[in-house]
Amino acid sequence: MNKWEVNVRRVVPYTPGEQPEDKDIIKLNTNENPYPPAPAVREILDKFDISDMRLYPNPDSEILVKAIAERYKIKPEQIFVGVGSDDVISMAFMTFFNSDKPILFPDVTYSFYDVWADVYRIPYKTCPLREDFTINPEDYKVENGGIIFPNPNAPTGVLESVDMIEDIIKSNPDSVVMIDEAYIDFGGESCLPLIEKYDNLLVIQTFSKSRSMAGMRIGFAIGSEKLIKYMNDVKFSVNSYTMNTITQICGAEAVRDEKYFRETTDKIIATREYSKKKLKKLGFEFPDSKSNFIFASHKEKNAGYIFEELRKRKIFVRYWNKPRIDNYMRITVGTVDEMEALFRALEEIVNE
């Protein structure tokens, strides 16, 4: 080892879902939306004056923040935007999780949380989900340096009630509680109304899933004006120009097209419910997902085996060889045609 390596910050990085170059793939492994963004986004890209790229973007992302504020009927001062919800959550970790007490999150959850904790030297403790993958709120009523969990959870798709979440917030007046609502638009009830009651609640959402804009990287957090000011203070101490101009404009247009947003999310929800019935007939079991994916386990066939067999057929799903979930696959809800191709492949595999 070189001497300079002694001072290197070592972490085990987050592993994102595979992005194959082969276009002849049914890609159901990264929870992307199978439908294009709102039509107005295409119009913006066609009309954009490329000479504007020589100028720095608006550091406050005003056009996007204003559109989000109007959509959710809140003040612009209650909104923080970042380059995807990962950027937003990372900034929130840096801003609020600075205690010597451990932060809390579930043992089966988004696998970026422990990465950020390691990067920022934040002590953490994982709280085991129940056997049905639901949260035990009593686990979060202990001394802590902060709390974060997704709702619906990833990768399980389980939705917790707003009442349960409020119970946790009430029990932690001295900690910042973050609810990661990346998948809330697929049939869940958001806890956004609670921000008016609790100044320590931060709700994070993304454009990557329900608004079909994973490639543009837009995330946002909503909370009390005090929380948002603290986050912006940190952001502007790190990088003032995080979101480019064209992304801000396209994001604002996507927010304004509520009709298209509803149409696409409704299609995904309908396909998800149809897919649950098909998977049950094929012998799969799964929690009742309220997201744009299904976390499925077969009664007889091992998930790792099914995963590899699907790959041979050019169908990608997500599999983790980890404790408690090593016999589950996460299947993104695609188009009806993509899901039918998946079911045909699964029928072959489980009946071999």
Side-chain angles (χ1 to χ4, degrees):
M1 181 184 293
N2 294 313
K3 288 185 177 180
W4 57 262
E5 290 183 83
V6 175
N7 297 315
V8 171
R9 179 165 293 193
R10 293 185 181 85
V11 294
V12 178
Y14 170 75
T15 304
E18 188 174 352
Q19 295 284 1
E21 292 184 7
D22 185 354
K23 298 301 181 183
D24 187 26
I25 294 285
I26 295 177
K27 192 170 178 296
L28 306 175
N29 65 327
T30 50
N31 297 342
E32 293 149 328
N33 195 310
Y35 304 107
V41 173
R42 174 75 266 173
E43 295 173 13
I44 291 295
L45 294 173
D46 289 340
K47 297 175 183 177
F48 187 74
D49 184 352
I50 197 169
S51 67
D52 288 344
M53 296 301 289
R54 65 190 174 80
L55 304 173
Y56 282 112
N58 183 300
D60 296 313
S61 304
E62 287 182 21
I63 187 171
L64 177 59
V65 168
K66 183 179 178 182
I68 296 171
E70 290 174 353
R71 164 65 172 76
Y72 293 99
K73 297 178 173 57
I74 55 176
K75 299 176 184 176
E77 293 79 13
Q78 292 178 282
I79 299 166
F80 177 93
V81 297
V83 186
S85 60
D86 289 341
D87 178 48
V88 174
I89 299 171
S90 175
M91 197 67 65
F93 268 51
M94 195 190 310
T95 305
F96 301 117
F97 292 165
N98 294 296
S99 168
D100 56 0
K101 301 170 188 174
I103 64 170
L104 308 176
F105 50 83
D107 63 335
V108 179
T109 194
Y110 186 30
S111 52
F112 224 142
Y113 296 158
D114 58 349
V115 174
W116 286 315
D118 287 340
V119 167
Y120 297 130
R121 300 294 190 260
I122 301 167
Y124 68 91
K125 175 185 175 184
T126 59
C127 302
L129 296 176
R130 297 181 176 121
E131 286 303 308
D132 62 357
F133 293 130
T134 57
I135 285 174
N136 181 354
E138 298 308 310
D139 290 340
Y140 296 85
K141 297 177 182 178
V142 297
E143 200 168 12
N144 63 77
I147 293 169
I148 184 169
F149 57 85
N151 194 48
N153 191 22
T156 66
V158 172
L159 178 74
E160 302 288 355
S161 71
V162 172
D163 288 343
M164 189 282 286
I165 293 172
E166 183 169 14
D167 181 38
I168 290 175
I169 300 166
K170 277 183 181 178
S171 302
N172 289 277
D174 300 325
S175 300
V176 172
V177 178
M178 303 182 197
I179 309 300
D180 181 356
E181 292 189 340
Y183 303 98
I184 200 65
D185 294 323
F186 300 105
E189 181 185 358
S190 174
C191 61
L192 273 174
L194 297 180
I195 65 172
E196 302 302 332
K197 294 175 66 175
Y198 303 98
D199 65 359
N200 63 324
L201 170 64
L202 192 71
V203 179
I204 300 117
Q205 295 191 12
T206 180
F207 283 45
S208 296
K209 317 300 181 185
S210 57
R211 298 192 187 275
S212 310
M213 297 179 76
M216 276 200 155
R217 314 305 301 126
I218 304 174
F220 63 98
I222 296 178
S224 65
E225 292 182 45
K226 181 181 289 188
L227 285 184
I228 299 306
K229 182 183 184 305
Y230 283 138
M231 287 187 71
N232 276 316
D233 287 346
V234 172
K235 171 190 171 181
F236 289 124
S237 300
V238 176
N239 185 352
S240 299
Y241 302 106
T242 54
M243 185 177 291
N244 68 66
T245 300
I246 197 165
T247 296
Q248 294 179 30
I249 299 169
C250 289
E253 288 300 322
V255 171
R256 294 186 185 113
D257 197 339
E258 186 70 13
K259 182 175 180 289
Y260 183 81
F261 167 73
R262 294 296 177 190
E263 286 174 356
T264 52
T265 53
D266 285 349
K267 280 197 289 188
I268 291 168
I269 291 168
T271 306
R272 180 191 69 207
E273 296 307 305
Y274 168 74
S275 298
K276 289 177 183 177
K277 294 175 184 177
K278 296 285 286 188
L279 287 169
K280 281 182 180 178
K281 287 181 180 178
L282 290 168
F284 285 89
E285 298 175 335
F286 41 83
D288 185 25
S289 174
K290 294 298 180 183
S291 58
N292 69 335
F293 58 84
I294 300 169
F295 196 54
S297 175
H298 195 265
K299 297 175 184 178
E300 298 174 3
K301 297 285 186 177
N302 176 266
Y305 169 76
I306 298 174
F307 168 77
E308 292 297 341
E309 288 298 309
L310 286 173
R311 283 181 63 89
K312 292 176 185 177
R313 294 163 171 81
K314 293 191 173 184
I315 300 174
F316 283 29
V317 297
R318 194 79 191 268
Y319 171 70
W320 292 272
N321 188 15
K322 291 183 176 182
R324 298 193 68 186
I325 61 171
D326 60 351
N327 201 32
Y328 284 85
M329 301 177 302
R330 192 192 67 191
I331 304 167
T332 301
V333 176
T335 63
V336 172
D337 288 345
E338 288 173 332
M339 300 309 286
E340 290 292 359
L342 169 72
F343 302 142
R344 289 193 295 271
L346 288 175
E347 187 171 14
E348 288 179 4
I349 294 165
V350 300
N351 290 326
E352 285 176 345

